[in-house]
Amino acid sequence: MSDNIKKTALYDYHEKYSNNLIDFSGFSLPVFYSSIIEEHQSVRKAAGLFDVSHMGQFFISGKSSEEFIQMVTTNDVFKLRKGQAQYSLICNEEGGIIDDILVYKLESGYMLVVNASDIGKKFDWLKSFQLEGSILENRSKEFSMIAIQGPKSRKIIKKIIKDDISKLGFYQFVQKIDCLGHNILLSRTGYTGELGFEIYCSHDAVRSIWSFILDNFKSEGIKPAGLGCRDTLRLEMGYHLYGNDINMNTDPFMAGLGWITDLKKGEFVGSNKLSYRNISQSICLVYFIMVEKSIARPGCEIIVNDKTVGSVTSGTISPSLNAGIGIGYLKKEYSQAGTSILISIRKKMKRAEIVKAPFYGKGTLNI
């Protein structure tokens, strides 16, 4: 592993309890601790604890902050109230997706949470559009971030904070609350399709919070969880992974993310190109389930009537369904649910069927 690889504040724990550390977007993170399937089922049935400190945090303040965010993101930030978060995108001038992000409306200003890859480049790109009267800060190195996900996550959180979060809704958050004596931001967000929370805190705080949860809630079935089950969980919900399912060669409408792309809100970076692309779209993202037992991997060709009509961007075996599932792009005329397709896997044709997401519909996201 490269000497330049970054380590989160929880690296010592990962090194001690996982033999499967990999370079993920420049950070040393565990694929799993026990097994991907065991950790996956723990999140679906009880709770799992994830280190997501590789994510980046940008802060925007000043009188022009809202106008600035409206200009560089695809969703309508004017709809946000304090204490609410919003899923959005930043696109380049051609309408290609630079990143999928979360926008938090804080007590004062905003926080943008970005993916780990090229954090510095994304910040520089945003700076290039900075408006007078706005202040941009890259504070990614100041924060650790952990996610507790699963049907028992609220029960656990209630026991480690003093505030009442029983009415905290999906994509809502509270700032400056006490968690085991530490000041945190608690957000009801996640990437698993289950009830869950994300904690933003200092590096010192994350070590004690992480250890306390794992040491004191074993009876609730909580387990530390790695990148492996993070991927199987998000795929079962049909959630995108930047770098696989979306990138600068895809636009929001291709990717099925038109619902967070508001062309009526006024001009924003890439909006002129996206207005045209929305009309002329000929390729789109689809979800498929394998009819024959096999795993489709990124890059596998999608075949219809002996013609290559697309390719796979993500694929795995679903632990919940015990079947191969995946995401890919193909020509729009073949994208209807129920369409039979073939996927070329190691030069063998395996049958699959186009379906609607999510693959797994029994999550506790809205309880």
Side-chain angles (χ1 to χ4, degrees), residues 155-186:
K155 181 179 180 181
I156 294 170
I157 287 290
K158 281 184 174 182
K159 292 181 178 180
I160 63 172
I161 66 170
K162 295 180 178 179
D163 296 61
D164 179 14
I165 49 97
S166 58
K167 295 183 179 179
L168 191 67
F170 190 43
Y171 270 65
Q172 294 180 351
F173 66 95
V174 283
Q175 284 182 257
K176 300 176 183 178
I177 63 171
D178 185 290
C179 177
L180 303 174
H182 302 284
N183 185 28
I184 70 165
L185 183 152
L186 179 70

Side-chain angles (χ1 to χ4, degrees), residues 127-145:
K127 287 280 287 184
S128 71
F129 291 95
Q130 185 172 0
L131 298 178
E132 184 178 351
S134 63
I135 301 168
L136 277 65
E137 300 174 277
N138 181 0
R139 297 175 59 188
S140 304
K141 293 181 180 179
E142 297 178 28
F143 293 93
S144 283
M145 183 178 169

Side-chain angles (χ1 to χ4, degrees), residues 263-303:
L263 294 176
K264 296 179 181 179
K265 72 172 186 173
E267 188 174 340
F268 59 90
V269 179
S271 59
N272 291 336
K273 295 288 186 179
L274 288 174
S275 296
Y276 171 75
R277 287 188 178 197
N278 188 27
I279 296 170
S280 63
Q281 204 65 61
S282 60
I283 296 173
C284 64
L285 180 140
V286 295
Y287 304 91
F288 61 85
I289 188 165
M290 300 304 301
V291 176
E292 296 183 83
K293 189 173 181 180
S294 52
I295 305 175
R297 296 299 189 191
C300 289
E301 293 181 341
I302 300 174
I303 312 294

Side-chain angles (χ1 to χ4, degrees), residues 87-229:
Y87 185 44
S88 192
L89 303 168
I90 52 177
C91 292
N92 60 25
E93 291 89 337
E94 297 299 313
I97 300 172
I98 293 175
D99 204 5
D100 61 332
I101 64 171
L102 290 182
V103 180
Y104 287 76
K105 187 165 185 176
L106 307 172
E107 293 173 6
S108 177
Y110 294 84
M111 176 174 70
L112 270 56
V113 180
V114 301
N115 286 301
S117 60
D118 297 323
I119 289 174
K121 289 182 180 179
K122 281 178 276 200
F123 183 74
D124 290 342
W125 182 86
L126 289 170
K127 287 280 287 184
S128 71
F129 291 95
Q130 185 172 0
L131 298 178
E132 184 178 351
S134 63
I135 301 168
L136 277 65
E137 300 174 277
N138 181 0
R139 297 175 59 188
S140 304
K141 293 181 180 179
E142 297 178 28
F143 293 93
S144 283
M145 183 178 169
I146 55 176
I148 179 170
Q149 301 282 302
K152 294 187 178 181
S153 59
R154 184 188 283 122
K155 181 179 180 181
I156 294 170
I157 287 290
K158 281 184 174 182
K159 292 181 178 180
I160 63 172
I161 66 170
K162 295 180 178 179
D163 296 61
D164 179 14
I165 49 97
S166 58
K167 295 183 179 179
L168 191 67
F170 190 43
Y171 270 65
Q172 294 180 351
F173 66 95
V174 283
Q175 284 182 257
K176 300 176 183 178
I177 63 171
D178 185 290
C179 177
L180 303 174
H182 302 284
N183 185 28
I184 70 165
L185 183 152
L186 179 70
S187 174
R188 195 179 152 190
T189 45
Y191 196 48
T192 64
E194 300 294 340
L195 172 68
F197 301 84
E198 294 179 313
I199 293 173
Y200 297 80
C201 60
S202 71
H203 304 313
D204 288 337
V206 81
R207 296 184 186 98
S208 61
I209 295 170
W210 177 276
S211 298
F212 187 91
I213 291 174
L214 293 177
D215 290 344
N216 290 275
F217 297 101
K218 292 178 182 177
S219 62
E220 301 294 344
I222 192 166
K223 294 182 182 297
L227 295 168
C229 81

Side-chain angles (χ1 to χ4, degrees), residues 221-238:
I222 192 166
K223 294 182 182 297
L227 295 168
C229 81
R230 181 173 173 257
D231 197 52
T232 55
L233 290 160
R234 70 94 187 170
L235 252 175
E236 286 187 346
M237 297 306 298

